[in-house]
Amino acid sequence: MAKLNLPAEGGCRCGRVRLKISAPPLITMACHCTGCQRMSSSAYSLSAAIPAEGFAVTEGEPVIGGLHGATRHYFCSHCMTWMFTRPEGIDFFVNLRPTMLDDPSWFSPFIETFTSEKLPWATTAAVHSYETFPPFEDYEGLVKDYAAQEAAK
Ligand SMILES: [Zn+2]
Ligand SMILES: [Zn+2]
């Protein structure tokens, strides 16, 4: 499997917003919820949870979109690409859509969420599947398992 080389750069569809990551993800995800289906215009969204100190917007000014609620979804104001999310009440990581990266070939989702809302045919390579979100107490073990899987690459 391809390995993530850091730092890694990326950007939106039009290139007006560029970003850079300098830390590996804590975990990778696919989300099948209907909100993600709508915002991604696709069957599910993809996320790489990048530690906040390892994430930077290097060019352009992303704007808030989606529901404009407590969870902040960031888009390019010109091409409207959904680029990353800062989840409600969490500031130590940023959920980056990995296909923003110039080379996303290393990415595969380790967990998938909201399979209860998935399109009947939609499947992913996720190792762990959850009907909604994983219970809070599962996260520590999942992050550990993900790190072990990446270390073995
Ligand atoms: Zn753009
Ligand atoms: Zn979702």
Side-chain angles (χ1 to χ4, degrees):
M1 254 195 231
K3 243 187 142 153
L4 169 61
N5 289 313
L6 293 170
E9 293 185 33
C12 62
R13 181 74 199 268
C14 78
R16 282 173 170 82
V17 178
R18 295 286 295 169
L19 49 83
K20 185 166 153 176
I21 63 170
S22 52
L26 300 167
I27 196 163
T28 59
M29 300 162 274
C31 183
H32 297 274
C33 84
T34 54
C36 285
Q37 289 179 27
R38 290 198 165 104
M39 274 205 299
S40 65
S41 314
S42 190
Y44 45 80
S45 71
L46 298 175
S47 292
I50 307 295
E53 67 276 12
F55 176 86
V57 172
T58 54
E59 246 182 86
E61 295 257 350
V63 296
I64 300 232
L67 289 178
H68 295 248
T71 289
R72 289 149 297 156
H73 299 289
Y74 287 88
F75 292 71
C76 169
S77 66
H78 185 76
C79 68
M80 306 293 180
T81 301
W82 182 29
M83 300 184 72
F84 60 94
T85 299
R86 295 185 187 273
E88 178 177 3
I90 296 171
D91 53 15
F92 68 96
F93 69 82
V94 176
N95 276 334
L96 172 65
R97 312 277 88 77
T99 48
M100 296 308 114
L101 296 170
D102 298 335
D103 177 11
S105 62
W106 58 273
F107 181 90
S108 72
F110 186 64
I111 69 170
E112 61 183 349
T113 56
F114 279 90
T115 57
S116 56
E117 298 183 2
K118 83 182 189 72
L119 294 179
W121 52 265
T123 54
T124 76
V127 180
H128 301 281
S129 295
Y130 291 91
E131 276 185 21
T132 58
F133 282 124
F136 188 73
E137 61 272 18
D138 277 22
Y139 276 100
E140 197 181 328
L142 287 169
V143 165
K144 240 185 233 167
D145 289 355
Y146 178 71
Q149 173 190 281
E150 293 308 290
K153 272 187 185 171

